Amino acid sequence: MPELIGTIACALALIPAAARWLRVAQREHYLPGSTSRFAWRWWRSGPAAQAMAVIGLAAAGVAFGYPLVSLATAAVVIMGPPFLSLRGRTSPLAFTRRLRLLAAVWLSLQAIVIVVGVLVHRAAPMAALGACAVPLIVDIACAVLSPVERRLVRPYVTAARSRLAQVAPVVVAITGSFGKTSTKQHVAHLVAGSRTVVASPASFNNRAGLARAVNEQLAPGTDVFVAEMGTYKKGEIAELCRWCPPAIAVITAIGPVHLERFRTEDAIVVAKSEITERAHTVVLNVDDLRLRALADQLAATGTTSVVRCSATDTAADVSVVVADDRLSVYVAGAAIGTGVAPPTSVQPGNLACALAVAFALGVPHEVALGRIEGLPPVANRLASAPAPSGVWVIDDTFNSNPNGARAALAELGRRGITGRRVVVTPGMVELGSRQFEENRAFAEAATAVATDLVIVGETNRAALVAGSSSLHPHHVRTREEAVAWVRTTLGPGDAVLYENDLPDHYR
C-alpha cells in the first residue's frame, strides 16, 4: 500500500510540473536543454528553493527503502520552485499542435519511468525520481521531436519555395543581433511608395514562421518580399536561404545577444554572415568593426556588391548622421538630404541600412527621403508619448541589448525632463559571461540621467544594484508592481523609461 500511495502522489505531481516546465519549453522555442537550464536556475535561486530541492531529491532516494517518503518529493514538485507560477503571468501556456505533441511524448517518457519502477518493484521511488526529472525529460522529448518537427514543417517549406518561384519577388533578407525588425519595417515603408512590398510579420523569422509568412501573405504581383531571419545556431540562416534566397542581404549589427548560446561574438558573425552567401548585394553596418572586416572580405571576392552603411562616417556608401534632432543623409560622401526630422524611435544605423536597400531596389533618392518623416514607430522600441497622467513614457520593452539600452538612456536624457526620471528594468539576459558586467555598466550609465532605478525581478538584481548604489534603487518582483509604483509616484513633469521586459519564466 505505501508503494501505491507514493506512486499515485508522484504521478499526480506531474500535473503542476507539466504546467510549469512545458510552458518554459514553449517560451524557449522548444530548444533541447533550455528547460533544464531554467530549472537549474530556479532551484538554486535562493535558500528556500535550494532547501526544497535537497528535500525532494533526498526523499526520492530514501523512498527506495521507505516508499511512503516519496510523498515529500511529490509535495516539493507540486509547490516548487517558489515563485514560478503555474499559469504564467506574462506567458500562459498555449495549447498549439506542437505543444500537444510535446506533452504526449513527455507523458509517454514519464510513464516509461514508472513502468520500469513497477517491473523492478520500486514504483514509488522511480515515480519520485521521474517527478524530480521533469525538466530533463521535457528536454529529452524536445530532442526526440526536433527531427519530427522538421519533417512536419517540410510540406509548408516546399509550398513556400513554390510560391516564391511563382510570384518571383526580389527577396531582401535581414538579420543582425539587434535592429533587424526595425530595419525590416523601415525598408517596407521606404519601398512601399514605389513598389508593391510584403514584409514578414514580427517574430516570423525562423523556418516555420517564414514559410507561413510566404504561404499566407505573398500575393501575386508582389515586387519585393522583406524577410527577417533569426538564428540560434550555425547553419539555420543558410538553410533558410536555400529555399528563400535573397537578392539583397542585410546585417544590421553584431552584439552579445544570444551569447549564452553562441559563446563568442565571432561565432555570431559566422552564423549571421550565412545570409550573404547567395546574395548579389550585401548591405552592412560598418560602424561595427566585425562587419567592416566582413565587408572588406566580401568585396575582395569581386562577386558581391557590398554597400557600407554608417551612422558616423559620411564617406560610407550610405550614411545617416543625426545632429540637433535632425538627420542628414549622405551617399558616397555627398549630402543628398539635410535637416530631415525623423520619428524619435529611429536609429540612424538602421535607417542607413534601410535606405541602402531602397536605393538598391531602384527607389529614387528624393522619393525615399520624402518618406523618412512618415516612418511609422516600431512598437515597444523607443516609442514615446505622454500618458494621461502627464508622465512622459518611453517604451523600449522589446529591446534587450547593450547598444539599445544606451540609446534608450540617451533618449531619456535628451527629453530635458525637469522632474523625476525613472528607469524601470529587469536588465538584459542571454549575454553569457558578460551578463553581470553589461547590466552593471547599464545601471552605472543610468545614474548619469535618471533620478530613480526600479529593478524588476531577481535575474539581474545583483548586477543592477552594483552599478546604481548612488540611486538607492527600488526593487519589485513583477512588471505590474513596477507600473503600480510609477502610477502612484510620478506625475506631470516626470518621465519613465521601461527598458526591456522578461517573460515570467525568468526570476
Side-chain angles (χ1 to χ4, degrees), residues 190 287 308-323 326-331 336-337 340 342 346-356 359 369 372:
L190 294 173
D287 291 337
R308 294 170 171 85
C309 299
S310 176
T312 59
D313 182 7
T314 57
D317 296 316
V318 179
S319 59
V320 175
V321 179
V322 175
R326 293 291 186 273
L327 60 82
S328 298
V329 180
Y330 297 81
V331 173
I336 64 168
V340 182
V346 171
Q347 295 299 301
N350 295 339
L351 179 56
C353 289
L355 285 167
F359 298 156
L369 292 174
I372 290 177

Side-chain angles (χ1 to χ4, degrees), residues 177-182 257 345 347 350 378-383 395-408 425-429 498-502:
S177 296
F178 47 88
K180 51 185 177 290
T181 300
S182 299
V257 180
S345 60
Q347 295 299 301
N350 295 339
V378 182
N380 308 115
R381 289 173 173 86
L382 270 186
D395 180 359
D396 202 38
T397 50
F398 277 18
N399 263 336
S400 59
N401 66 84
N403 280 23
R406 285 191 290 270
T425 184
M428 297 166 282
V429 295
Y498 290 100
E499 180 59 31
N500 199 19
D501 190 19
L502 296 178

Side-chain angles (χ1 to χ4, degrees), residues 458-480:
E458 299 290 337
T459 298
N460 294 306
R461 181 180 182 181
L464 294 169
V465 168
S468 63
S469 57
S470 63
L471 288 181
H472 305 293
H474 313 276
H475 178 254
V476 295
R477 196 168 65 84
T478 67
R479 168 83 185 280
E480 287 74 16

Side-chain angles (χ1 to χ4, degrees), residues 402-415:
N403 280 23
R406 285 191 290 270
L409 289 176
E411 175 66 15
L412 179 62
R414 190 184 67 83
R415 280 284 154 192

Side-chain angles (χ1 to χ4, degrees), residues 108-122:
S108 299
L109 294 173
Q110 294 283 172
I112 289 172
V113 173
I114 295 175
V115 169
V116 169
V118 171
L119 293 176
V120 299
H121 306 292
R122 292 291 187 273

